[in-house]
Amino acid sequence: MAGEYRIDPWGSQVIREYEKLFKYFGMRPFKEVLPLLEEVAEPHRLMRRGVVFGHRDFEIVVDAIKKGKRFAILTGLMPSGKMHFGHKMVIDQVIYYQSLGAEIFLAIADAEAYAVRKIPREELIRTAIEEYVANYLALGLRPERLHIYFQTNYRKEYYRLIQLFSRKVTLAEMEAIYGEDLEPAKIVSALTQAADILHPQLPHFGGFDVVLVPVGPDQDPHLRLTRDIADRFRSELGLRRPASTYHRFMTGLTGEKMSSSKPESYIALTDDPEEAGRKLMRSFTGGRPTAEEQRRLGGRPEICPVYEMLAYHLVDDDAELKRIYEDCKSGRLLCGQCKRYAREKLVKFLEEHQRKLEAAKDLAYKLVDVPDF
Ligand code: SF4
């Protein structure tokens, strides 16, 4: 039963049992739509490598690309902590869709950060711009066809949606999706997220029929609520269900969950490159206790955070990645050598990225209308 398997979008659970999402919540495997996408565009490496594993209604996005129709991407950022490589996965996909012609809506979830996570306003505003938006721009997000807004500082039609939505959602229904400890801050946050996802469809914001939301599976409760709301406002406001995709989470460098509250578990995009390299060298791996055993039994890239860094971020060439995988599995490659290779790529990437970051900070402040309190 779905009720026994609940996802908490505000919690810190790791969703590893992706099959349950297909079984209980009607999510579909992304591999089913990959061949359709291949017909119209080269899939992103996260898609080719199965990191993007699930979807809802992705066919409408493929159709839009095929017919040259306008489509929009809605993505959100939580302005807390440091932006790390786990966060980078979403923005990599957003940049990919922007290159395919998508219009990008980027919601800064400052209302939620303040009300649910209890982060002071001044701190979250600075974090949003300097830590997140600046990094996004330095990674290649382009200012054209890009709308960045703070949830507390946007246009009146967006707020009207939140108010209208409140009429057609019941508390019982929200409890079934989010659990029973629903406080007002979470209810408001959930309705605000629905407005984030659906507002690009309003004529005031471009009237996009097709909106895609790439997220981690922990955010699926918001998508399910939003899809129901869209159905209920189909005739009144002409809203349609959004499409969504879901990507796997990265394993932390400790071998456990990657967590913003555990700096040893992640590498931030602003970490000193040499220090980041040392962190990677200390990482847990899928290797064996001794070199002799590893040569005999082979390594386990499927549980290795170093392999994930290579596959998700540092190696774009599929043939090169396949070679690493096979050499690891066969025991030809040992972890020390593999880590040195990954470290070299990581340091180079961070040095280049950070060279672009200062200019990106200035641009970020120009692109965003910052709330005055
Ligand atoms: S050889 Fe590389 S990929 Fe394989 S387990 Fe060791 S560090 Fe991981």
Coordinates of all heavy atoms in Angstrom, one line a residue, residues 60-115:
I60 N 5.3 14.3 -23.3 CA 4.8 15.6 -23.8 C 6.0 16.5 -24.0 O 5.9 17.4 -24.9 CB 3.8 16.3 -22.8 CG1 4.4 16.6 -21.4 CG2 2.5 15.4 -22.7 CD1 3.4 17.4 -20.5
V61 N 7.1 16.3 -23.3 CA 8.3 17.1 -23.5 C 9.0 16.6 -24.9 O 9.4 17.5 -25.7 CB 9.3 16.9 -22.4 CG1 10.6 17.7 -22.6 CG2 8.6 17.3 -21.1
V62 N 9.0 15.3 -25.1 CA 9.6 14.8 -26.3 C 8.8 15.4 -27.5 O 9.4 15.9 -28.5 CB 9.6 13.3 -26.4 CG1 10.1 12.8 -27.7 CG2 10.5 12.7 -25.3
D63 N 7.5 15.4 -27.4 CA 6.6 15.8 -28.4 C 6.9 17.3 -28.7 O 6.9 17.8 -29.9 CB 5.2 15.6 -28.0 CG 4.2 15.9 -29.1 OD1 4.4 15.2 -30.2 OD2 3.3 16.8 -29.0
A64 N 7.0 18.1 -27.6 CA 7.3 19.6 -27.8 C 8.6 19.8 -28.5 O 8.7 20.6 -29.4 CB 7.3 20.2 -26.4
I65 N 9.7 19.0 -28.1 CA 11.0 19.1 -28.8 C 10.8 18.8 -30.3 O 11.3 19.5 -31.2 CB 12.0 18.3 -28.1 CG1 12.3 18.7 -26.7 CG2 13.4 18.3 -28.9 CD1 13.1 17.7 -25.8
K66 N 10.1 17.7 -30.5 CA 9.9 17.2 -31.9 C 9.2 18.2 -32.8 O 9.6 18.4 -33.9 CB 9.1 15.9 -31.8 CG 9.1 15.1 -33.1 CD 8.4 13.8 -32.7 CE 8.2 12.9 -33.9 NZ 7.6 11.6 -33.4
K67 N 8.2 18.8 -32.2 CA 7.4 19.8 -33.1 C 7.9 21.2 -33.0 O 7.3 22.1 -33.5 CB 5.9 19.7 -32.6 CG 5.3 18.4 -32.9 CD 3.9 18.3 -32.4 CE 3.3 16.9 -32.8 NZ 2.2 16.5 -31.9
G68 N 9.0 21.4 -32.2 CA 9.5 22.8 -32.1 C 8.6 23.7 -31.3 O 8.6 24.9 -31.5
K69 N 7.8 23.0 -30.4 CA 6.8 23.8 -29.6 C 7.6 24.4 -28.4 O 8.5 23.8 -27.9 CB 5.7 22.9 -29.0 CG 4.5 22.8 -29.9 CD 3.5 21.8 -29.4 CE 3.0 22.0 -28.0 NZ 2.1 21.0 -27.6
R70 N 7.1 25.5 -27.9 CA 7.7 26.1 -26.7 C 7.5 25.2 -25.4 O 6.4 24.6 -25.3 CB 7.1 27.4 -26.3 CG 7.3 28.5 -27.4 CD 6.2 29.5 -27.4 NE 6.4 30.4 -26.2 CZ 5.5 30.6 -25.3 NH1 4.3 29.9 -25.3 NH2 5.7 31.4 -24.3
F71 N 8.4 25.1 -24.6 CA 8.2 24.3 -23.3 C 9.0 25.0 -22.2 O 10.0 25.7 -22.5 CB 8.5 22.8 -23.4 CG 9.9 22.4 -23.6 CD1 10.6 21.8 -22.6 CD2 10.6 22.6 -24.8 CE1 11.9 21.4 -22.7 CE2 11.9 22.2 -25.0 CZ 12.6 21.6 -24.0
A72 N 8.6 24.7 -21.0 CA 9.3 25.4 -19.9 C 9.8 24.4 -18.9 O 9.2 23.3 -18.7 CB 8.3 26.3 -19.2
I73 N 10.8 24.7 -18.2 CA 11.4 23.9 -17.1 C 11.2 24.7 -15.8 O 11.5 25.9 -15.8 CB 12.9 23.7 -17.3 CG1 13.2 23.0 -18.6 CG2 13.5 22.9 -16.1 CD1 12.7 21.6 -18.7
L74 N 10.6 24.1 -14.8 CA 10.5 24.7 -13.5 C 11.5 24.0 -12.6 O 11.5 22.8 -12.5 CB 9.1 24.6 -13.0 CG 8.8 25.3 -11.6 CD1 9.2 24.5 -10.4 CD2 9.2 26.7 -11.6
T75 N 12.4 24.8 -12.0 CA 13.3 24.1 -11.0 C 13.3 25.1 -9.7 O 13.0 26.3 -9.8 CB 14.7 23.9 -11.6 OG1 15.5 23.2 -10.6 CG2 15.4 25.2 -11.9
G76 N 13.6 24.5 -8.6 CA 13.7 25.3 -7.4 C 15.0 25.1 -6.7 O 15.7 24.1 -6.9
L77 N 15.4 26.1 -5.9 CA 16.5 25.8 -5.1 C 16.2 26.2 -3.6 O 15.5 27.1 -3.3 CB 17.7 26.7 -5.6 CG 17.7 28.2 -5.5 CD1 18.2 28.6 -4.1 CD2 18.6 28.7 -6.6
M78 N 16.8 25.4 -2.7 CA 16.6 25.6 -1.3 C 17.9 26.4 -0.8 O 18.9 25.8 -0.8 CB 16.5 24.3 -0.6 CG 16.4 24.3 0.9 SD 15.1 25.4 1.5 CE 13.7 24.6 1.0
P79 N 17.7 27.7 -0.4 CA 18.9 28.4 -0.1 C 19.4 28.1 1.3 O 19.3 28.9 2.2 CB 18.4 29.9 -0.2 CG 17.0 29.8 0.1 CD 16.5 28.4 -0.3
S80 N 20.0 27.0 1.4 CA 20.6 26.6 2.7 C 21.9 25.8 2.5 O 22.0 25.1 1.5 CB 19.7 25.8 3.6 OG 19.7 24.5 3.2
G81 N 22.9 26.1 3.3 CA 24.2 25.3 3.2 C 24.9 25.7 2.0 O 24.7 26.8 1.4
K82 N 25.8 24.8 1.6 CA 26.7 25.0 0.4 C 26.1 24.3 -0.8 O 25.6 23.2 -0.6 CB 28.1 24.6 0.7 CG 28.8 25.4 1.7 CD 30.2 25.0 1.8 CE 31.1 26.2 2.3 NZ 32.4 26.2 1.8
M83 N 26.4 24.8 -2.0 CA 26.0 24.0 -3.2 C 27.1 23.0 -3.4 O 28.2 23.3 -3.6 CB 25.9 24.9 -4.4 CG 25.5 24.1 -5.6 SD 25.1 25.1 -7.1 CE 25.1 23.7 -8.3
H84 N 26.7 21.7 -3.5 CA 27.6 20.7 -3.7 C 27.3 19.9 -5.0 O 26.3 20.2 -5.7 CB 27.7 19.8 -2.4 CG 26.4 19.2 -2.0 ND1 25.6 18.4 -2.8 CD2 25.8 19.2 -0.8 CE1 24.6 18.0 -2.1 NE2 24.6 18.5 -0.9
F85 N 28.1 18.8 -5.2 CA 27.9 18.1 -6.5 C 26.6 17.4 -6.5 O 26.1 17.1 -7.6 CB 29.1 17.1 -6.7 CG 30.3 17.8 -7.3 CD1 31.2 18.5 -6.5 CD2 30.4 17.8 -8.7 CE1 32.3 19.1 -7.1 CE2 31.5 18.4 -9.3 CZ 32.4 19.1 -8.5
G86 N 26.0 17.1 -5.4 CA 24.6 16.5 -5.4 C 23.6 17.4 -6.0 O 22.7 17.1 -6.8
H87 N 23.7 18.7 -5.6 CA 22.8 19.7 -6.1 C 23.1 20.0 -7.6 O 22.2 20.4 -8.4 CB 23.0 21.1 -5.4 CG 22.8 21.0 -3.9 ND1 23.7 21.4 -3.0 CD2 21.7 20.6 -3.2 CE1 23.2 21.3 -1.8 NE2 22.0 20.8 -1.9
K88 N 24.3 19.8 -8.0 CA 24.7 20.1 -9.4 C 23.9 19.3 -10.4 O 23.7 19.8 -11.5 CB 26.2 19.9 -9.6 CG 26.7 20.1 -11.0 CD 28.3 20.0 -11.0 CE 28.8 20.0 -12.4 NZ 28.6 18.7 -13.1
M89 N 23.5 18.1 -10.0 CA 22.8 17.2 -11.0 C 21.6 17.9 -11.6 O 21.3 17.7 -12.8 CB 22.5 15.9 -10.3 CG 23.7 15.0 -10.1 SD 23.2 13.4 -9.8 CE 22.6 13.6 -8.1
V90 N 20.8 18.6 -10.8 CA 19.6 19.2 -11.3 C 19.9 20.3 -12.3 O 19.3 20.3 -13.4 CB 18.7 19.8 -10.1 CG1 17.5 20.4 -10.7 CG2 18.4 18.8 -9.1
I91 N 20.9 21.1 -11.9 CA 21.1 22.3 -12.8 C 21.8 21.8 -14.1 O 21.6 22.4 -15.1 CB 21.9 23.4 -12.0 CG1 21.7 24.7 -12.7 CG2 23.4 23.1 -11.9 CD1 20.3 25.2 -12.6
D92 N 22.5 20.7 -14.0 CA 23.1 20.2 -15.3 C 22.0 19.8 -16.2 O 22.1 20.1 -17.4 CB 23.9 18.9 -15.0 CG 25.3 19.2 -14.4 OD1 25.7 20.4 -14.5 OD2 25.9 18.3 -13.9
Q93 N 20.9 19.3 -15.7 CA 19.8 18.9 -16.6 C 19.1 20.2 -17.1 O 18.7 20.2 -18.2 CB 18.8 18.1 -15.8 CG 19.3 16.7 -15.4 CD 18.4 16.0 -14.5 OE1 17.2 15.6 -14.9 NE2 18.8 15.7 -13.3
V94 N 18.9 21.2 -16.2 CA 18.3 22.4 -16.6 C 19.0 23.1 -17.7 O 18.5 23.5 -18.7 CB 18.1 23.4 -15.4 CG1 17.6 24.7 -15.8 CG2 17.2 22.8 -14.3
I95 N 20.4 23.1 -17.6 CA 21.2 23.7 -18.6 C 21.0 22.9 -20.0 O 21.0 23.5 -21.1 CB 22.7 23.7 -18.2 CG1 22.8 24.7 -17.0 CG2 23.6 24.1 -19.3 CD1 24.1 24.6 -16.3
Y96 N 20.9 21.6 -19.9 CA 20.7 20.8 -21.0 C 19.4 21.2 -21.7 O 19.3 21.4 -22.9 CB 20.7 19.3 -20.6 CG 20.1 18.3 -21.6 CD1 20.8 17.9 -22.7 CD2 18.8 17.8 -21.4 CE1 20.3 17.0 -23.6 CE2 18.3 16.9 -22.3 CZ 19.0 16.5 -23.4 OH 18.5 15.6 -24.3
Y97 N 18.3 21.3 -21.0 CA 17.0 21.7 -21.6 C 17.1 23.1 -22.1 O 16.4 23.4 -23.1 CB 15.9 21.5 -20.5 CG 15.6 20.1 -20.2 CD1 15.7 19.7 -18.9 CD2 15.1 19.2 -21.1 CE1 15.5 18.3 -18.5 CE2 14.8 17.9 -20.8 CZ 15.0 17.4 -19.5 OH 14.7 16.2 -19.2
Q98 N 17.8 24.0 -21.5 CA 17.9 25.3 -22.0 C 18.6 25.3 -23.4 O 18.2 26.0 -24.3 CB 18.7 26.2 -21.0 CG 18.5 27.7 -21.3 CD 19.3 28.6 -20.3 OE1 20.5 28.2 -19.9 NE2 18.8 29.7 -20.0
S99 N 19.6 24.4 -23.5 CA 20.2 24.3 -24.8 C 19.3 23.7 -25.9 O 19.5 23.9 -27.1 CB 21.5 23.4 -24.7 OG 21.1 22.0 -24.7
L100 N 18.2 23.0 -25.4 CA 17.3 22.5 -26.4 C 16.1 23.5 -26.7 O 15.1 23.2 -27.3 CB 16.6 21.2 -25.9 CG 17.6 20.0 -25.8 CD1 16.8 18.8 -25.2 CD2 18.2 19.6 -27.1
G101 N 16.2 24.7 -26.1 CA 15.3 25.8 -26.4 C 14.3 26.0 -25.3 O 13.3 26.9 -25.4
A102 N 14.4 25.4 -24.1 CA 13.4 25.6 -23.0 C 13.5 26.9 -22.4 O 14.6 27.5 -22.3 CB 13.6 24.5 -22.0
E103 N 12.4 27.4 -21.9 CA 12.4 28.6 -21.1 C 12.5 28.2 -19.6 O 11.9 27.2 -19.2 CB 11.0 29.3 -21.3 CG 10.9 30.6 -20.7 CD 10.9 31.7 -21.7 OE1 11.1 31.5 -22.9 OE2 10.8 32.9 -21.3
I104 N 13.4 28.8 -18.8 CA 13.7 28.3 -17.5 C 13.0 29.2 -16.4 O 13.3 30.4 -16.4 CB 15.2 28.2 -17.3 CG1 15.9 27.5 -18.4 CG2 15.5 27.6 -15.9 CD1 15.5 26.1 -18.6
F105 N 12.3 28.6 -15.5 CA 11.8 29.3 -14.3 C 12.5 28.7 -13.1 O 12.4 27.5 -12.9 CB 10.3 29.1 -14.2 CG 9.5 29.8 -15.3 CD1 9.4 29.2 -16.5 CD2 8.9 31.0 -15.0 CE1 8.6 29.9 -17.5 CE2 8.2 31.7 -16.0 CZ 8.1 31.1 -17.3
L106 N 13.2 29.6 -12.4 CA 14.0 29.2 -11.2 C 13.4 29.8 -10.0 O 13.5 31.0 -9.8 CB 15.4 29.5 -11.5 CG 16.4 29.4 -10.3 CD1 16.4 28.0 -9.7 CD2 17.8 29.7 -10.8
A107 N 12.8 29.0 -9.2 CA 12.2 29.5 -7.9 C 13.1 29.4 -6.8 O 13.7 28.3 -6.5 CB 10.9 28.7 -7.6
I108 N 13.4 30.5 -6.1 CA 14.2 30.4 -4.9 C 13.2 30.2 -3.7 O 12.4 31.0 -3.4 CB 15.0 31.7 -4.7 CG1 15.9 31.9 -5.9 CG2 15.7 31.7 -3.4 CD1 16.6 33.2 -5.9
A109 N 13.3 29.0 -3.1 CA 12.3 28.7 -2.0 C 12.6 29.3 -0.7 O 12.9 28.7 0.3 CB 12.3 27.1 -1.9
D110 N 12.6 30.7 -0.7 CA 13.0 31.4 0.5 C 11.9 31.4 1.5 O 12.1 31.4 2.7 CB 13.5 32.8 0.2 CG 12.3 33.7 -0.4 OD1 11.6 33.2 -1.2 OD2 12.2 34.9 0.0
A111 N 10.6 31.3 1.0 CA 9.5 31.3 2.0 C 9.6 30.0 2.8 O 9.4 29.9 4.0 CB 8.2 31.3 1.2
E112 N 9.9 28.9 2.0 CA 10.0 27.6 2.7 C 11.2 27.5 3.6 O 11.2 27.0 4.7 CB 10.0 26.5 1.6 CG 10.1 25.1 2.2 CD 9.9 24.0 1.2 OE1 9.2 24.2 0.2 OE2 10.4 22.9 1.4
A113 N 12.3 28.1 3.1 CA 13.5 28.1 3.9 C 13.3 28.8 5.3 O 13.8 28.4 6.3 CB 14.7 28.7 3.2
Y114 N 12.6 29.9 5.2 CA 12.3 30.7 6.4 C 11.3 29.9 7.3 O 11.6 29.8 8.5 CB 11.7 32.0 6.0 CG 11.3 32.9 7.2 CD1 12.3 33.6 7.9 CD2 10.0 32.9 7.6 CE1 12.0 34.3 9.0 CE2 9.7 33.7 8.8 CZ 10.6 34.4 9.4 OH 10.3 35.1 10.5
A115 N 10.2 29.5 6.7 CA 9.1 28.9 7.6 C 9.3 27.5 8.0 O 9.0 27.2 9.2 CB 7.8 29.0 6.8

